[in-house]
Amino acid sequence: MKSILKILLFLLLFSFTGLAFAQNLVPNPSFEDYDTSIVAGCSFERLIEWKSFGYTPNYHNVYLGGVPNNGFGYQIPASGVAYISSGCYSTYPTFPNVREYIGVKFIDTLNIGTKYYFQMKVSATYSNPGNSNCAINKMGALFSTISYEVEPCISTTLLSPPNFAHIYSTEIISDSANWTTLSGSFVADSAYLYLVIGNFFDNSSTQYIIVGDTSISPFLLSYYYIDDIYVGINPPDNILDKNLKENHISVYPNPINDYLVINISESLVLSTVINIYDIYGNFILNYKLTSLNQSINIKELEPCIYI
């Protein structure tokens, strides 16, 4: 008879991409989709729909490596299994005001005179030495009628900081343990076709706080993780609340010995993924749910606390 419960705690991180972002004009909004045929080159080159609009942003995915641990820090995705990291501030003499930008073509052109809502999740990254040692404000979104696409693996910046963004944070985002929601709205004054994410203000217009070790190098760098991007005519929180209320999820038993049972409503079957991590953040198992009532065998897992 077993005396040790294997799973003492479950924190379920479901990907509601197809639901929470209903009517989302942003394709692949949480970066889940990538090209499996590309096996060489930088990771960002494999990301579907999204392009580098400046310098060399990074793509992190459980299946490709870099989640939750990577060279910029530690973070579990806000949803699903992937996120982006992007450099947003630098005082290095060889890279003054350098910015990394990610961009995407909307599913449909924005209508002039229509009010649109924007939302994304960001998390500060802290790593030493050098990769990220400060936190900034001015993270945000720029809407464009043209593409600024560059080769994703080449250190090239075509879009210089214009000191303007349609939506941006006036507060310094310094939380590296949790995801911070950045949101806003604007009325389209042009037929915008592209969304660009990053810091669009130069160093003199960007506030910062030092959060890492500067004893090795006096120069500052700031990177952020980015996930779950939404642009649409409906407020994203209202969409999310509505879908969560209409889509039931139950998980039992908890704690558990051998089998985890998950019940979900029919509309979630094709878009629901469960990831299991150990207490140290190491990825252990991944399941894509394919039925309304699914039993997951965890007999082979060692006694431990899992997330």
Side-chain angles (χ1 to χ4, degrees):
M1 180 177 179
K2 296 180 180 180
S3 59
I4 300 179
L5 296 177
K6 285 187 176 179
I7 294 187
L8 303 179
L9 174 65
F10 253 100
L11 172 62
L12 296 181
L13 305 176
F14 286 98
S15 173
F16 292 108
T17 301
L19 295 167
F21 295 105
Q23 304 174 42
N24 193 352
L25 294 176
V26 178
N28 198 13
S30 59
F31 315 115
E32 304 302 303
D33 300 328
Y34 64 94
D35 191 340
T36 57
S37 67
I38 300 176
V39 295
C42 64
S43 60
F44 197 88
E45 192 174 15
R46 306 185 68 175
L47 183 59
I48 292 177
E49 300 290 354
W50 288 87
K51 308 298 181 183
S52 171
F53 274 28
Y55 221 63
T56 55
N58 302 281
Y59 178 49
H60 308 281
N61 188 302
V62 165
Y63 303 112
L64 301 177
V67 175
N69 289 297
N70 50 72
F72 301 96
Y74 171 96
Q75 187 55 273
I76 293 174
S79 70
V81 297
Y83 50 72
I84 297 294
S85 64
S86 182
C88 302
Y89 184 85
S90 170
T91 63
Y92 276 71
T94 51
F95 304 104
N97 287 309
V98 70
R99 302 288 185 266
E100 290 181 336
Y101 297 110
I102 60 173
V104 68
K105 185 178 181 179
F106 288 123
I107 295 172
D108 197 7
T109 305
L110 303 194
N111 295 317
I112 297 175
T114 299
K115 183 177 183 179
Y116 291 91
Y117 293 88
F118 168 82
Q119 180 173 287
M120 71 174 176
K121 302 291 182 63
V122 296
S123 178
T125 76
Y126 303 146
S127 60
N128 289 307
N131 277 345
S132 190
N133 54 18
C134 70
I136 63 169
N137 65 350
K138 300 298 178 67
M139 283 292 295
L142 179 72
F143 298 86
S144 175
T145 58
I146 62 174
S147 171
Y148 295 93
E149 181 180 352
V150 298
E151 289 293 328
C153 305
I154 299 176
S155 301
T156 302
T157 299
L158 294 181
L159 177 58
S160 299
N163 283 330
F164 169 81
H166 290 92
I167 297 169
Y168 60 90
S169 171
T170 59
E171 302 296 327
I172 294 176
I173 301 174
S174 59
D175 193 344
S176 63
N178 306 290
W179 289 92
T180 298
T181 299
L182 195 161
S183 59
S185 64
F186 83 111
V187 176
D189 57 359
S190 297
Y192 294 116
L193 189 56
Y194 297 92
L195 171 67
V196 194
I197 301 296
N199 171 22
F200 301 93
F201 295 82
D202 60 24
N203 288 359
S204 63
S205 302
T206 302
Q207 296 178 331
Y208 69 88
I209 57 173
I210 297 174
V211 293
D213 184 8
T214 58
S215 62
I216 298 176
S217 170
F219 305 118
L220 302 179
L221 276 177
S222 181
Y223 274 78
Y224 281 85
Y225 297 127
I226 302 169
D227 204 355
D228 289 355
I229 298 176
Y230 169 84
V231 174
I233 60 174
N234 295 310
D237 290 340
N238 292 347
I239 296 173
L240 180 59
D241 291 343
K242 179 176 182 293
N243 285 312
L244 289 179
K245 290 176 182 177
E246 292 179 352
N247 296 282
H248 178 70
I249 302 171
S250 62
V251 182
Y252 62 89
N254 190 19
I256 189 173
N257 270 320
D258 295 329
Y259 290 92
L260 176 69
V261 179
I262 300 179
N263 289 324
I264 59 178
S265 61
E266 185 174 0
S267 59
L268 286 177
V269 172
L270 297 180
S271 61
T272 304
V273 174
I274 178 173
N275 302 312
I276 299 179
Y277 300 86
D278 65 20
I279 195 172
Y280 305 104
N282 298 310
F283 175 75
I284 304 298
L285 295 172
N286 174 273
Y287 295 92
K288 184 172 183 179
L289 303 185
T290 57
S291 65
L292 300 180
N293 190 338
Q294 190 157 332
S295 179
I296 299 175
N297 186 343
I298 57 166
K299 288 182 178 180
E300 301 304 318
L301 295 185
E302 295 295 326
C304 186
I305 295 177
Y306 292 90
I307 299 174

